[in-house]
Amino acid sequence: MGIGVEPATFVLIHGGGSSAWDWHLVEPELRGLGHEVVAVDLPIEDDANGISEYADAVVAECAGHRRLAVVAHSFGGLVAPLVCSRVATELLVFVAGMVPKPGESPAEWWSATGHDDLGIALDTRREEVDAFFNGVPDRLVDAAFEHARDQGGANWEQPSPLRAWPQVPTRFLLCRDDRFFPPDFARAHATERLGITPDEIDGGHMVALAHPRELAERLHGFWNRRGD
């Protein structure tokens, strides 16, 4: 851990249509580095829920933990800043994440960021595998589809309750081989929305399944250097 560096509690937020299972290979790596881990299942299957309810679920799981580092993958990025505005947090990390503007709805994000213009097709399983799972072993791809969950979209037009950006040290980690959020798109997104130059890691969109040890080491490093 390094002299004088206290361990974190890493709060891991999964992406859209998914579950905490996405982090199951990263969790033991973080624990091996001395940290606590809380991986949250967002209540995505209930159409009555939206960003606020997702954040409520994460906040509830944070109870009793300290030295929080919130890590959000993909769609989870829309939830993470709201969590950080509700609980004391020492680090916020987007991993191939969607960065919201205050008051922006999930539906608005796609066109506002220019992602709609990329023309990425997700109509078949083959297209989904190509966009999300390049570099992931076949057995884990199959398991990911088994753990996938339907995500209700009734509240996608509802503006985010986030009103101001939380004052938390923030990093953005893009994936160099990402086909869903390609590197050029992710760099521009992080620069425009966060005003920072993103860090980079090898791997596709589902980097937590393809390179769990490397991802855990990067998160560990971000925690140790969060005051820089």
Side-chain angles (χ1 to χ4, degrees), residues 7-178:
T9 297
F10 278 98
V11 181
L12 307 178
I13 306 174
H14 62 77
S18 196
S19 72
W21 178 88
D22 287 358
W23 299 104
H24 77 284
L25 299 177
V26 176
E27 291 181 64
E29 298 291 346
L30 286 171
R31 291 191 176 102
L33 292 166
H35 303 289
E36 294 185 50
V37 182
V38 176
V40 183
D41 277 319
L42 302 179
I44 62 174
E45 293 168 304
D46 187 341
D47 258 357
N49 293 333
I51 297 299
S52 184
E53 290 75 21
Y54 300 162
D56 288 342
V58 179
V59 170
E61 293 293 331
C62 292
H65 297 280
R66 58 190 298 273
R67 311 305 299 268
L68 300 180
V70 174
V71 181
H73 177 242
S74 198
F75 181 91
L78 301 183
V79 180
L82 189 57
V83 172
C84 294
S85 73
R86 295 179 177 177
V87 296
T89 310
E90 297 189 32
L91 178 67
L92 169 59
V93 182
F94 294 88
V95 178
M98 297 167 65
V99 182
K101 287 184 176 179
E104 182 177 64
S105 73
E108 290 172 329
W109 183 93
W110 302 95
S111 58
T113 60
H115 191 273
D116 280 346
D117 299 331
L118 299 180
I120 298 171
L122 300 173
D123 298 324
T124 66
R125 172 165 169 154
R126 183 172 182 176
E127 289 172 340
E128 287 188 46
V129 170
D130 182 69
F132 295 117
F133 293 99
N134 54 307
V136 177
D138 289 344
R139 62 178 179 81
L140 289 176
V141 174
D142 291 339
F145 275 91
E146 292 174 3
H147 284 85
R149 298 183 292 156
D150 291 332
Q151 180 160 351
N155 283 322
W156 276 45
E157 300 286 348
Q158 183 176 339
S160 170
L162 182 69
R163 291 295 172 258
W165 197 260
Q167 298 301 305
V168 178
T170 302
R171 307 292 284 263
F172 188 106
L173 184 63
L174 70 79
C175 302
R176 296 188 184 101
D177 307 304
D178 198 336

Side-chain angles (χ1 to χ4, degrees), residues 143-222:
F145 275 91
E146 292 174 3
H147 284 85
R149 298 183 292 156
D150 291 332
Q151 180 160 351
N155 283 322
W156 276 45
E157 300 286 348
Q158 183 176 339
S160 170
L162 182 69
R163 291 295 172 258
W165 197 260
Q167 298 301 305
V168 178
T170 302
R171 307 292 284 263
F172 188 106
L173 184 63
L174 70 79
C175 302
R176 296 188 184 101
D177 307 304
D178 198 336
R179 296 173 183 170
F180 188 59
F181 293 157
D184 286 346
F185 169 83
R187 290 187 191 100
H189 186 47
T191 300
E192 177 194 354
R193 297 259 166 138
L194 297 173
I196 63 176
T197 300
D199 294 274
E200 303 187 10
I201 189 172
D202 289 336
H205 194 69
M206 300 300 287
V207 65
L209 296 177
H211 301 291
R213 177 176 296 179
E214 292 87 342
L215 178 54
E217 290 173 348
R218 296 300 290 274
L219 297 176
H220 174 70
F222 291 158

